[in-house]
Amino acid sequence: DIRGQADYDAGHMEGAYHSTYATILDDLATTIPSDKAYVVTCYTGQSAGHIKLAMEMMGYEEVQSLLWGMSAWSPLVTGTNWEGSAMVTDALSNPETDNNNGQLVWEGYPEVTGTVQERVEAVLAGGFKGIAYTDIMDNLDDYFVVNYFGQADYEGTGTYGVPGHIPGAFQYTPYASMDIGQLLGNLPTDQTIVVYCWTGQHSSQITAYLNMLGYDAKSLKYGSNNLFHSSLTGHKWSAAQIGAFPLFPTL
């Protein structure tokens, strides 16, 4: 549980260990047991993605992040929450349906030094790299926007209700396009990359991965739920996601 100490103290999953970006690697080496699979949770499921990627790059296996974060665990959790958030909205009023991938050009790769651990430590030291659509909507040309879901949904013809994508965004297929020999080399090395998915959870992992490789990347907060929440038929936040699971006091 990587939420703030006060919110963790106010109630967490039974047996959950508290950690932070700054202490997670030390905590894994000293206090967090290694004989079970790992579940990382935060407030909304987004910042946990950075931790999940960092752990996997350090060799930890069976690491998952909790979908929707502690927002979906109990209505009694404190701190940032999906429910009632102004970020769960229809901020994108002019979605595009054209496929822009024909405009991709070879950019090469960033120059990066250091060991894997040093790069992971640098990402964790930088904290969660997130940005809201309202922060980029008036200057989209300043960003390289990556749409991280399937082509049909990117083009507005998929099954999850999205009407298209952020104007100028490029489509990168999950688990397929971010590798050497795929589209990784088409990412710019001199421009901020903004990655978005459905909920901000996968894009958080991709953002951490890209920053570890030396790119300047940010995750679009709340993903498509921030862009066209009303239109979504899948991957959509609603009050129905909120469980009624118990909360426990400080360990």
Side-chain angles (χ1 to χ4, degrees):
D1 191 326
I2 61 167
R3 294 176 299 152
Q5 185 72 57
D7 294 315
Y8 170 84
D9 291 345
H12 53 262
M13 296 180 194
E14 182 177 15
Y17 289 80
H18 183 253
S19 190
T20 67
Y21 274 53
T23 65
I24 183 63
L25 296 183
D26 286 340
D27 292 339
L28 285 165
T30 57
T31 60
I32 298 175
S34 59
D35 59 344
K36 297 180 181 179
Y38 299 93
V39 175
V40 185
T41 188
C42 60
Y43 291 100
T44 62
Q46 297 175 88
S47 60
H50 280 31
I51 299 291
K52 178 180 184 294
L53 187 281
M55 290 177 62
E56 290 173 333
M57 294 306 300
M58 292 300 295
Y60 292 92
E61 299 179 351
E62 296 186 83
V63 184
Q64 300 182 66
S65 59
L66 186 69
L67 181 61
W68 312 115
M70 289 299 287
S71 297
W73 186 259
S74 166
L76 302 178
V77 296
T78 59
T80 305
N81 203 302
W82 280 85
E83 191 67 8
S85 172
M87 296 289 286
V88 181
T89 187
D90 301 327
L92 179 56
S93 60
N94 59 333
E96 182 181 73
T97 56
D98 294 339
N99 192 318
N100 299 311
N101 280 28
Q103 302 173 32
L104 288 170
V105 297
W106 177 257
E107 299 281 359
Y109 303 108
E111 293 186 9
V112 62
T113 60
T115 64
V116 170
Q117 180 164 339
E118 288 170 339
R119 296 304 305 154
V120 168
E121 289 174 346
V123 168
L124 293 173
F128 175 61
K129 297 297 185 181
I131 194 167
Y133 182 64
T134 52
D135 292 332
I136 68 171
M137 60 188 291
D138 294 328
N139 53 335
L140 287 174
D141 290 342
D142 293 341
Y143 301 92
F144 184 98
V145 181
V146 171
N147 170 287
Y148 196 70
F149 42 73
Q151 182 176 336
D153 289 299
Y154 165 79
E155 295 175 348
T157 60
T159 59
Y160 294 115
V162 293
H165 55 266
I166 294 173
F170 299 95
Q171 188 265 327
Y172 277 57
T173 302
Y175 316 113
S177 294
M178 283 291 178
D179 199 359
I180 292 176
Q182 298 297 324
L183 299 181
L184 184 65
N186 297 109
L187 295 173
T189 59
D190 58 353
Q191 188 178 20
T192 299
I193 301 163
V194 175
V195 187
Y196 78 98
C197 63
W198 299 103
T199 66
Q201 193 153 323
H202 276 130
S203 61
S204 175
Q205 298 174 45
I206 296 301
T207 294
Y209 164 69
L210 293 177
N211 282 313
M212 196 194 77
L213 294 179
Y215 293 94
D216 174 17
K218 297 181 184 296
S219 177
L220 190 75
K221 295 178 181 179
Y222 294 82
S224 294
N225 280 266
N226 176 233
L227 302 177
F228 19 66
H229 178 260
S230 297
S231 301
L232 294 178
T233 58
H235 307 289
K236 180 176 182 173
W237 169 262
S238 72
Q241 308 291 343
I242 305 175
F245 301 107
L247 295 171
F248 292 83
T250 307
L251 291 174

